[in-house]
Amino acid sequence: VPAAASAAKPDKPTKGPAGDKFYTPPKKFPGRHGSLIWQRKATGITPIPGAVNRLVLYTTKTLGGGKVVSSGIVSVPKGKAPKGGWPVITYAHGTTGIADVCAPTRAPSGSLQEPYVTYIDPVVDAWVDAGYAVVRSDFAGLGTPGPHGYLVGIDEGHAVLDIVAAARALNPGVGKKFLIAGHSQGGH
């Protein structure tokens, strides 16, 4: 029976609620960091043309080992994944502010933070065109409940790594090889 269970198709990722409710996790969510809580089609200023873009909510952890959630976007090239899966670039954004609305996936078009989010679009677009899945965390507490660990490198580092695992749970075509990139706040 175990062999049959392992051959079963993985569960379809849970679709998250619409609007800002997406960013508030259910009362009970997985304790393992990098677990996908839910997903939905990404909208707003962060989706990349030519990619399949999904907004994700996933688990991560803090410097003290606390269980928290983070949001982010997963952008995967369209088409069939190469052997071994799409290689991944996990990108850590620069400073966009500390209010929840400043999270890149929540920032509205025309907002003050839009230029601080979209300046990377030509580079991310080129990465997707070159065959990379690109994942971008908002960082825990930026857009999601709890304090934003502004410039707490370990917390942000966990969020940037854990979105890679969440992306694999979302899309089995996402590979295991990844590269980390970042700028400003995300570069530390």
Side-chain angles (χ1 to χ4, degrees):
V1 177
S6 66
K9 223 176 181 184
D11 290 338
K12 187 174 180 181
T14 302
K15 184 176 180 185
D20 290 344
K21 290 181 180 179
F22 181 90
Y23 295 89
T24 302
K27 290 190 187 299
K28 291 186 180 183
F29 57 88
R32 185 166 186 246
H33 61 98
S35 296
L36 180 65
I37 297 170
W38 53 45
Q39 56 77 38
R40 74 171 193 222
K41 182 179 179 182
T43 59
I45 64 173
T46 53
I48 298 299
V52 176
N53 298 281
R54 304 304 290 181
L55 181 63
V56 296
L57 190 73
Y58 63 97
T59 60
T60 189
K61 63 182 181 178
T62 65
L63 174 64
K67 178 175 82 166
V68 295
V69 299
S70 184
S71 52
I73 185 168
V74 174
S75 301
V76 178
K78 292 180 179 175
K80 186 179 177 188
K83 185 178 180 180
W86 301 107
V88 180
I89 297 176
T90 181
Y91 180 77
H93 67 82
T95 300
T96 57
I98 59 171
D100 283 343
V101 73
C102 297
T105 64
R106 287 181 82 161
S109 181
S111 65
L112 293 175
Q113 62 272 28
E114 182 177 15
Y116 298 100
V117 173
T118 59
Y119 73 92
I120 192 69
D121 286 358
V123 175
V124 174
D125 195 23
W127 289 338
V128 169
D129 286 348
Y132 290 91
V134 180
V135 299
R136 294 173 281 163
S137 176
D138 288 331
F139 305 140
L142 185 58
T144 53
H148 175 30
Y150 184 67
L151 298 182
V152 180
I154 291 175
D155 288 6
E156 292 169 5
H158 284 300
V160 169
L161 291 174
D162 290 337
I163 194 172
V164 176
R168 283 192 206 116
L170 173 69
N171 183 328
V174 173
K176 292 185 178 180
K177 293 183 178 182
F178 66 92
L179 173 137
I180 303 167
H183 173 251
S184 186
Q185 176 186 350
H188 77 271

